[in-house]
Amino acid sequence: MTKLPLTRLYFSRLLFPLNPLSSPLPPSPLPIMSEKTLFDSTKTDDQNSSKTLIYPTPLSPPFPPISKQIELNRAISASSKSTLFSLSRTDIIFEDESLIVVNKPSGIYCEDVLSSIPRLLEVSKDSTKLEIYITPLELHLANRLDRDTSGIMVITKSHKVARKLVKAFTDHRVKKTYIALCIGATPEWEKIRLRSGHGRSKFGAWRVYSVSDIGRALPGGSLVRDMETSFEVLSVNGQGNFREPNKFLTDETELLLVEHRGSMSGMDEQNEILVRAYPRSGRTHQIRLHCQYLGIPIRGDVKYEGVHEWRGETCDAHALHAESLSFDHPITGVPIQFCAPLPLWASTAMLQSM
């Protein structure tokens, strides 16, 4: 029998962003399945019997129709910036022999930040160690941010450090805070802890699921996984009391277990609500999904019902910023915390509340 040659398929970065911690080839596309899929079927002389797998129903709505074109335009804009983008020393928050901590701008892909690191180190005159020019760099993204999310990103310089830090993220030993500017009804809570399910719907969109659905199968073979985020309100329409990120006391915070669809009451209200989020898990679009569920979608987050225009101006990105990271140094074990400078929209809202 003649063996057919193997052909390696290469996809564009826009469709399948390269993850340095994984294989360079994207996974095989998953088939789109119906709401009820034939799970098992046997035929006898007397009758046909079958079992059907009923998928859980998502509790958050699908993407608004307007979001498709807006997201496409934003992606095209980000791709056009990629060839010209380069980090400067002012973007570097911390650097040693093991780590580089940077403040990622909004509208830039993580891969573009990573690819600009070698160029930055080559032209830098004040790098911590000259040996980085002699020993080949093994750069890895320890964490990832959405294209339009700004803030803290950690890049490791060796495979050993990458393994340790990625495990710390997986084991929830890395503490994170985010700042988000939301538009909607004033929350009835000052602090809240939200726990729900998380997964892809049959259309491939990330959605919120009920806590009772955690562990159930989804189209394509994945499972509903748990996600938990704590929130605190910092200001409403500029009125509030800004405070630095601290240890969130979960035992003093109301726990909301998601079992039903979020309330739609007050969706017509247009208040500016500045919140800080403390994600315990690290699911894709977690904070964005939970803000949508709480009825306070993030400004500019058109995928999750955020306004596209605000106060006469078009929102070019969603207003979400990775504010801080805290973890034990993967080599020395010393506890460290990094904070990223706030973007203009966040500092403006905070100045109003101080």
Side-chain angles (χ1 to χ4, degrees):
M1 179 182 297
T2 303
K3 294 184 177 180
L4 295 175
L6 295 177
T7 302
R8 193 179 287 249
L9 300 179
Y10 292 89
F11 293 79
S12 70
R13 180 187 56 73
L14 180 59
L15 295 179
F16 294 96
L18 178 62
N19 182 348
L21 297 179
S22 63
S23 168
L25 290 180
S28 301
L30 299 174
I32 297 177
M33 307 175 77
S34 61
E35 192 71 21
K36 295 183 179 181
T37 303
L38 187 62
F39 182 72
D40 183 38
S41 178
T42 56
K43 184 177 180 180
T44 64
D45 295 336
D46 301 325
Q47 61 181 3
N48 291 332
S49 62
S50 63
K51 298 178 181 179
T52 57
L53 181 62
I54 309 300
Y55 295 121
T57 301
L59 301 182
S60 54
F63 297 157
I66 191 177
S67 68
K68 184 175 181 180
Q69 187 60 49
I70 294 173
E71 283 293 309
L72 177 60
N73 293 340
R74 290 177 180 177
I76 292 173
S77 175
S79 295
S80 65
K81 296 176 184 177
S82 63
T83 56
L84 302 175
F85 176 74
S86 62
L87 286 172
S88 69
R89 290 306 301 185
T90 58
D91 296 318
I92 304 299
I93 296 171
F94 173 83
E95 181 188 354
D96 66 6
E97 297 87 345
S98 305
L99 307 170
I100 303 175
V101 182
V102 305
N103 182 27
K104 184 186 91 68
S106 176
I108 298 295
Y109 289 104
C110 292
E111 291 74 23
D112 295 330
V113 174
L114 184 69
S115 63
S116 69
I117 293 294
R119 295 194 299 271
L120 176 65
L121 296 180
E122 286 175 6
V123 301
S124 175
K125 302 300 182 182
D126 57 350
S127 290
T128 56
K129 291 292 182 181
L130 183 61
E131 64 190 33
I132 63 173
Y133 301 112
I134 302 172
T135 304
L137 291 174
E138 301 165 342
L139 299 176
H140 299 266
L141 292 173
N143 69 313
R144 304 181 68 87
L145 297 176
D146 295 333
R147 177 195 64 219
D148 292 338
T149 301
S150 59
I152 291 278
M153 272 185 56
V154 180
I155 297 165
T156 59
K157 293 182 177 180
S158 70
H159 299 318
K160 176 183 177 181
V161 176
R163 284 193 297 270
K164 288 187 174 183
L165 197 49
V166 169
K167 189 175 189 306
F169 274 96
T170 303
D171 295 343
H172 307 303
R173 289 185 282 112
V174 178
K175 305 303 180 185
K176 300 169 281 187
T177 69
Y178 288 74
I179 295 288
L181 185 61
C182 305
I183 308 297
T186 302
E188 297 178 355
W189 43 267
E190 182 180 352
K191 295 182 179 181
I192 197 169
R193 184 160 52 108
L194 186 65
R195 184 181 298 161
S196 73
H198 170 272
R200 286 188 185 273
S201 71
K202 65 180 179 178
F203 302 109
W206 295 109
R207 309 282 282 280
V208 172
Y209 287 85
S210 166
V211 168
S212 59
D213 287 330
I214 294 173
R216 291 183 61 187
L218 290 168
S222 62
L223 300 177
V224 176
R225 305 176 71 183
D226 69 300
M227 66 174 173
E228 182 177 318
T229 315
S230 297
F231 292 92
E232 61 177 340
V233 175
L234 298 179
S235 70
V236 177
N237 296 327
Q239 302 299 312
N241 181 23
F242 173 71
R243 47 198 171 272
E244 297 294 333
N246 52 28
K247 185 177 180 181
F248 203 89
L249 301 177
T250 55
D251 56 345
E252 298 179 3
T253 307
E254 176 189 358
L255 173 62
L256 176 60
L257 295 177
V258 172
E259 291 290 354
H260 307 286
R261 290 186 181 273
S263 173
M264 300 301 290
S265 61
M267 288 295 287
D268 293 333
E269 294 188 41
Q270 298 286 289
N271 298 311
E272 272 194 350
I273 306 152
L274 191 68
V275 300
R276 176 176 284 126
Y278 300 77
R280 183 180 181 277
S281 50
R283 308 302 180 203
T284 303
H285 297 178
Q286 173 171 328
I287 297 171
R288 299 164 63 184
L289 283 162
H290 273 171
C291 283
Q292 178 194 30
Y293 183 84
L294 290 170
I296 50 170
I298 297 173
R299 189 192 71 181
D301 192 3
V302 292
K303 273 189 175 182
Y304 301 113
E305 300 184 297
V307 296
H308 180 224
E309 295 183 355
W310 181 243
R311 294 184 174 175
E313 295 184 1
T314 299
C315 301
D316 295 327
H318 58 244
L320 181 63
H321 178 71
E323 179 188 29
S324 72
L325 280 179
S326 303
F327 54 90
D328 293 340
H329 193 285
I331 300 300
T332 66
V334 175
I336 48 179
Q337 182 182 44
F338 303 110
C339 293
L342 296 175
L344 181 60
W345 57 261
S347 57
T348 300
M350 286 182 176
L351 285 173
Q352 294 174 346
S353 64
M354 294 178 68

